[in-house]
Structures are given as structure tokens and as C-alpha cells.
Amino acid sequence: MTPLLADPTPGLLRAAPIEPAGHTMTHARLLRYLEIKVHHLIQDQDQDWDSIRVIGGYDRTAVISRYEKTGKLFNIERPTAEIHGRDLIVKAFPGADYVQHYALIIATYLAMTGRPVGTVTYQPPEQEECRTALDALDLELDGDLVIVGWGLQYLAPENGVWTRGPGYAWQRTEVAGRRVVYLGFLHSIWGDVAGRVVARLAELGAGDVVYVGKVGSLTPGVEPNAWLATGNTSLVRGAMVSWDDFFGDYAAAHDGVISGLHVSSPSILLENRDWLAQHTASYAFVDPEIGPMGAAARHAGIRFGYLHVISNNLATHYPADLSNERHSDVLRQRAVQVDRIRTIITGRLTASPTHPLGESR
């Protein structure tokens, strides 16, 4: 089934569900993944909405989902919703990839639970709206290394104090004479949003950006939560993009770290078995953010690097995947990987403190 259909209303696209039978996740795990994402006003309603429209908009005054994540500092917020009679407006943080991704999540969830899906549309946000959504990010940077992403509460100094801004928090420290800023977002920085984060940080004076997160493996036999991924090249919208890598060869020289080519995907829902067959021979990893971030860093003339936990494997089914990330065994394994990430980043700065404290590139 084609995932995107034209809608007669100008500016809208209709989101059609994917075929669960063809996805790289099993039916049960795909449904569980969707259940932890979909707003409670969609999951818990006794009656179906006449229309569900996903738009770009960061609005915490709208109805907040009861299924938002808890127990961590960052990436806890999910799209909010406004009720207009029998119509529902869902507001995702402005980004073309995120709005599309969330619309596909809703449509596929409705289809898998036997409910009408023709009501789901989405409206891609304008470029200016996407850009200005990050204007609130305001830090004083002077060649600093900015570490952004996942696991920051364990990477940053244990006794450090987080300074809060609108939708984000940060703290600064010094490692091997280099100023380091840890930056976390409360909302998702999915896909192209992450690229705009890097562009904004470069505008503010960042010298390097390192993204710590989770990535899917396309290589059979790579066990989730046991390996780290790194590299300097991604396939972004059909074009190969390489960047000046913060880690160079340093990270890949460590045991338990795999270096390879990355492919950027706007939505996990689009990563079916046909997609996997097209990419598995040439590419090692997939996620939505790395490619846009690397492209933005290259355009801004700063260094970028990623060091990610391999969280799931699209080519081989393992007990751990994106549907059960809060299980105790997964959390225990990832704690070990976070320690290794911290050691590698610290070692990179200690072995080659190329940018003295306060010196911009």
C-alpha cells in the first residue's frame, strides 16, 4: 500500500497505513511500538474522530498525552492535541520528517486496531516555521564542543547543574582544557529538526557537535545494545553526504565499535523488508537524524561526530528492539554502553586536545 496519498485540500497529504506484514518488525512488536507513541485522545476514544490532522507546532498548552515518557530528563515530550468538536489537531514539533512520521504512526495504529484510517492527514510545515522553531535555543558558545542527544544525564558530570531554557536544558564543564556543553531537548529532534539544531549551534559559535543516540543495524548478526556505531558518511534523500568527523579514526579503533555507512530514513514505518533489501548490502546503520546533522555541520564548516548504541537490528530478530526499550535487561546493557561512550569521548579530547579552552575554530 502506498504510504502517502494526495488530499484534495491544498497543502495537505493523506497518510495511509503501512502493511504490517511487510515491515521489519513483527506484527506484535510493531503494534507495541505504535501504542507507546499514539496520543491517548486517539487510543482511548470510544468514538472515532471525523478527522485527525497532524501539523507542525510546539504547543504545551494543548492536551498533553498521558503516554509521554517518564523516568528520564530528555526526549520525554510527545505531540500534543487540540479538540475541535469531532476533529482533532495533533501538534508535532515543526519538522517535515517528524510530522510525516507521526501521521504514519497514527494511520498505521488505526488500521492495526480495526478503526477507520481515511481521516488522517498531515500538513508539512513551512521551512520558515521549522527554522524559527529553534530560535529559542540560545547559548553562549565560543568554539565549545556541544554533546547533544540521548543519555546525557549519565554522560554529564554527576554533580552538574542543568540550566533550563524553553524546551531544552544544558550544562557546561571542561575536559582536557576544552569547554564542553551537554545539551538535551525535552521534545523530539527527529530527522530534519536535528539538522537545524546543528545549524543553530554553529550560528551560536559551536566548534564541534557530537550526537549520542540510538541507531538501527542493517547487518545480520549484530546484537542490539552490545555494540556502538560511528562513521562519517550518510545517504540523505538519495545523495551521499560526508563531513569532517570529530572522532576521525579514534572511536572506530576501539573494541565493540563498528564503523560503516549510514542511511537516513524519515520514518521507521517506511523501513519495510523491501527497503531493507535495497540498503542492506551497502549500508550498516539507519536512523533519521545523523545524515541531516552531518550535512548541516558540513555546510556550516564545523566538525560533527556520532557515537550511537545499536538499539535494534532490522535484518535479524532479537529479543530487544524499539518496542521494549524500557525493559531492565535493555537498560542494564545500555548503561554499560553509555560508560564506554563517555570513555571514548574523554579519550578523544585527552589524546588530541586540538581546540584549547575558549578558542574558536
Side-chain angles (χ1 to χ4, degrees), residues 127 149 343 348 355:
Q127 289 294 312
T343 298
R348 176 69 182 91
H355 303 300

Side-chain angles (χ1 to χ4, degrees), residues 147-312:
I147 301 175
V148 62
W150 167 84
L152 297 179
Q153 64 266 44
Y154 306 110
L155 293 173
E158 186 175 358
N159 59 351
V161 176
W162 292 99
T163 300
R164 296 199 171 272
Y168 66 93
W170 61 277
Q171 64 169 280
R172 177 178 276 119
T173 189
E174 181 182 331
V175 179
R178 181 78 188 279
R179 295 199 309 192
V180 178
V181 172
Y182 299 89
L183 171 65
F185 290 88
L186 302 182
H187 54 78
S188 176
I189 56 168
W190 189 275
D192 54 307
V193 177
R196 292 187 184 88
V197 167
V198 172
R200 177 62 176 162
L201 290 172
E203 290 177 358
L204 295 170
D208 301 292
V209 176
V210 165
Y211 179 38
V212 176
K214 298 170 290 182
V215 71
S217 173
L218 306 183
T219 305
V222 177
E223 183 179 357
N225 306 308
W227 297 85
L228 299 178
T230 193
N232 71 339
T233 303
S234 177
L235 180 69
V236 186
R237 296 179 179 87
M240 298 297 291
V241 177
S242 298
W243 52 85
D244 187 3
D245 188 6
F246 169 81
F247 291 105
D249 297 327
Y250 183 82
H254 287 71
D255 291 339
V257 180
I258 302 173
S259 180
L261 293 179
H262 174 272
V263 56
S264 297
S265 170
S267 175
I268 292 165
L269 277 297
L270 300 178
E271 296 163 14
N272 58 26
R273 286 197 287 270
D274 289 340
W275 181 95
L276 177 63
Q278 295 170 11
H279 294 90
T280 188
S282 301
Y283 301 94
F285 318 121
V286 60
D287 93 325
E289 291 89 31
I290 289 170
M293 295 177 89
R298 176 174 177 169
H299 183 265
I302 65 173
R303 292 193 302 186
F304 170 71
Y306 72 91
L307 192 56
H308 280 32
V309 174
I310 294 179
S311 58
N312 58 300

